[in-house]
Amino acid sequence: MACPLPLSRLHKLMILVGLSGILLSLPTLATEQDDKGLPPIRTLTAEQSERAAANYQKYCVLCHGENRQGHVNDHAPSLRSRSLFESGVPHAILRPLSYGRQGTAMGGYLDEVGGPLTLDETWDLTYWLFEQSGVERVAMSTQPVLGDIQRGEKIYQRDCAVCHGKAGEGITAPALGNASALAHNSDEFIRYAIQQGRQDTPMPAFSGRLTEPDIDNVTAFLRSRASGWQDIKPVLQALPTPDQYVVNPQGEQPDFALAQGRYVSSADLYAALVAKKKMVLLDTRVTSVWQTAHIEGSFPAPYYSDFKTIAKDIPRDVLIVAYCSCPRAAADYVIDQLKDLGFNHTAVLYEGIFGWMHEGYPVARRAIATPDDGSSN
Ligand code: HEC
Ligand code: HEC
């Protein structure tokens, strides 16, 4: 049947949801809670349960073992320990199962990332694991665990590194420095694992072996590694001064064939830079990303700049080429501002800097100094 009115995607979605009543069974809705205030564990039908068990057998046994005991291959953790299912919200299982843990043997099984399971199947397998564990969940705070990070690091190196690795990379135990794990495991989930251990696995319970404040300290230390195990301090480059705004001041101006009177291709821009053509290159992104990587010779003129001020320092007779990563929105916006101020000799990099890098053209990257490589200054 033809629809008499064009419907927006939102409307279609609303109708779909209304018709099939999916809303009630959507497990991800944050508003649903059981009597402990926890997101509920959905009861599987016999058919869903059977399919989940079969998926477990097919995809998980290799490493996590026939009976979910773990440690069969690649030191894959137990998928039945009491503390994991007590503290685990469904996402503690669903996330690693769906998206994997980058850099470990745990790959993603969701079709969205190229895996064999549909979203429904990953949810069913998650609930099946909860069901099989037979464990009562414990309500956990989502507040951060605060502690003395330096002290936590000492304890970590003394008591944990032997299994989890000096840099949290995991030796015989999960990689605690793993960015994907730290991104979805709450502080309380981590603290609970340390306190309680993981039953019937090599992970000991530290409750009684470490004081409660020290358990907090080591938790806070692990959390502090969320942006990387090493404490990386960016070295900020000095910004170019107006006398450096023109690239190749001695060169000739390029003669670009501009698409739609505005867009220059990465290939043409690169050729002009190699041929030492004269131009002004504007990086119109937020300056922090210019610091990370930029096209050599560009200077940051972020889209939120005061262009009347910048305009005073840009020569009017030199071609201005602007780029961003959006891939053109910010650059187009900046060029429009400059045109309003009377700059008529302008261009925008069509593919943006990501397209430029994708095609293999070079960028200048920031130097990184870590506290112990001696290069910080
Ligand atoms: C004897 C080896 C060993 C030591 C020592 C050890 N762990 Fe573990 N840890 C493990 C193993 C193995 C696992 C996985 C257990 C499983 O099968 O679920 C684990 C799991 C964990 C987990 C849960 C990870 C997750 O994603 O579920 C945390 C957190 C953790 N350990 C923290 C620590 C901390 C902190 C210390 C030191 C205070 C420590 N461990 C000391 C072996 C160890
Ligand atoms: C090739 C081996 C391998 C296979 C197959 C595998 N896993 Fe894993 N899995 C791992 C490893 C290794 C880890 C621990 C990664 C780390 O260091 O954090 C892990 C971690 C997990 C975790 C996190 C547990 C925790 O304590 O935080 C879950 C949940 C999980 N796997 C579920 C599954 C499911 C479900 C399947 C089947 C669909 C599966 N895995 C298949 C190796 C595997």
Side-chain angles (χ1 to χ4, degrees), residues 52-62 109 116:
N55 280 334
Y56 182 84
Q57 287 301 320
K58 183 166 177 189
Y59 299 117
C60 320
V61 162
L62 178 71
Y109 286 83

Side-chain angles (χ1 to χ4, degrees), residues 69-71 75-79 81 84 101 155-156 159-164 172-174 176 181 185 189-191 193-194 198 200-204 206 209-210 218-219 222:
Q69 73 275 24
H71 305 278
H75 305 289
S78 159
L79 294 181
S81 65
L84 175 62
R101 291 213 177 134
I155 294 164
Y156 179 85
D159 292 343
C160 322
V162 55
C163 300
H164 289 284
T172 57
L176 298 180
N185 289 338
F189 174 87
I190 297 171
R191 174 161 75 178
I194 303 169
R198 291 279 192 241
D200 304 318
T201 82
M203 173 66 193
F206 283 91
R209 296 169 58 160
L210 288 175
V218 77
T219 304
L222 289 173

